[in-house]
Amino acid sequence: MSKRRLTVLSGPSGVGKSTVVAELRRAHPEVWLSVSVTTRRPRPGEVNGVHYFFVDGEEFDRLVEAGELLEWAEFAGNRYGTPREPVLDKLAKGVPTVLEIDLEGARQVRTTMPDALLVFLAPPTWEELEKRLRGRGTEPEDVIERRLRAGRVEMAAESEFDLTLVNTSVQEVCHRLIALMTDPQGVTTTINREV
Ligand SMILES: Nc1ncnc2c1ncn2[C@@H]1O[C@H](COP(=O)(O)OP(=O)(O)OP(=O)(O)O)[C@@H](O)[C@H]1O
Ligand SMILES: Nc1nc2c(ncn2[C@@H]2O[C@H](COP(=O)(O)O)[C@@H](O)[C@H]2O)c(=O)[nH]1
């Protein structure tokens, strides 16, 4: 296993990050996914402590002020952050760890944990991204448009990442991700776009 055990997965809303990570964890239960804190309301079926820790703004402020978040960002009107302690604990134990976070969060991790591998998940086409986000059916149209505007910004930042994987096939992306996470040489890629 590479010493670079922290992998960050980012990409525009609706590209399939959660779907990819769920499949990755199904096939490789040894991979640990950080559970973020958010001020967003739970979607139907989302469970506190499993999908997110759902908190109010006051509690989020407290976590920020106490330095308990490794990174945090505002995304489409809500705040999201990664609890610091569990990530450091898993990394210290050598557990392959994934953060599924937005562009601003990825930029912060790049600065604070420069050994992390930053992977950008891209849609096959912009039209497909819109179709996936609308097809998910979890947000009203005004929120979808807000997320698509943020998505334009995220797509323009692709070159900041170590590697891009295009999410045409969830299985293929998982296969590539696990290969990258278990590469004994560590990953030496610079900018690279893979289908
Ligand atoms: N390779 C794929 N082909 C077709 N549909 C896909 C693919 N990957 C994911 N999807 C679908 O796209 C939709 C969005 O996926 P998902 O919720 O995983 O995106 P996300 O990037 O985690 O979004 P967000 O950032 O908003 O949380 C879901 O309905 C999912 O089933
Ligand atoms: N910077 C962070 N971004 C995060 C974190 N957890 C999730 N996210 C990102 O937020 C958006 C929206 O997520 P959604 O669940 O409301 O669809 C998406 O890009 C996530 O990757 C976090 O801890 N920090």
Side-chain angles (χ1 to χ4, degrees), residues 12-19 100 128 132 136 147 167-168 170:
S13 178
V15 69
K17 300 179 295 297
S18 301
T19 307
E100 184 203 319
E128 175 66 16
R132 287 183 191 175
R136 189 170 68 187
R147 284 174 178 248
N167 183 18
T168 303
V170 173

Side-chain angles (χ1 to χ4, degrees), residues 22-193:
E23 174 56 20
L24 186 72
R25 296 200 61 237
R26 189 199 60 76
H28 298 276
E30 73 276 16
V31 172
W32 181 74
L33 171 68
S34 165
V35 179
S36 298
V37 177
T38 185
T39 59
R40 171 168 77 61
R41 293 242 181 105
R43 293 176 186 140
E46 283 185 330
V47 177
N48 190 38
V50 175
H51 299 93
Y52 280 105
F53 295 105
F54 296 98
V55 298
D56 59 19
E58 201 178 316
E59 173 62 5
F60 200 97
D61 287 341
R62 191 196 67 74
L63 292 168
V64 171
E65 279 157 27
E68 289 188 30
L69 300 181
L70 183 67
E71 60 72 35
W72 70 272
E74 182 163 339
F75 181 88
N78 294 297
R79 287 184 290 164
Y80 300 80
T82 303
R84 182 191 303 277
E85 208 50 47
V87 173
L88 299 185
D89 180 56
K90 294 290 177 185
L91 291 176
K93 290 179 176 147
V95 177
T97 295
V98 176
L99 308 185
E100 184 203 319
I101 59 178
D102 84 329
L103 171 64
E104 288 306 325
R107 284 174 171 157
Q108 292 168 46
V109 173
R110 166 71 88 210
T111 304
T112 56
M113 306 188 79
D115 277 346
L117 175 69
L118 267 56
V119 179
F120 186 82
L121 194 64
T125 62
W126 181 260
E127 291 68 30
E128 175 66 16
L129 177 72
E130 288 198 23
K131 191 173 148 198
R132 287 183 191 175
L133 191 52
R134 291 207 164 83
R136 189 170 68 187
T138 48
E139 277 82 28
E141 184 58 25
D142 61 322
V143 177
I144 287 174
E145 278 164 21
R146 196 166 182 179
R147 284 174 178 248
L148 288 172
R149 278 197 298 279
R152 292 270 183 213
V153 175
E154 306 218 42
M155 291 293 287
E158 178 188 334
S159 65
E160 294 179 32
F161 288 76
D162 295 309
L163 183 88
T164 295
L165 298 175
V166 180
N167 183 18
T168 303
S169 152
V170 173
Q171 297 294 335
E172 259 311 303
V173 169
C174 286
H175 183 73
R176 280 296 294 141
L177 266 180
I178 202 70
L180 289 162
M181 292 177 76
T182 55
D183 179 355
Q185 307 302 321
V187 179
T188 52
T189 28
T190 50
I191 304 307
N192 190 358
R193 189 174 173 95

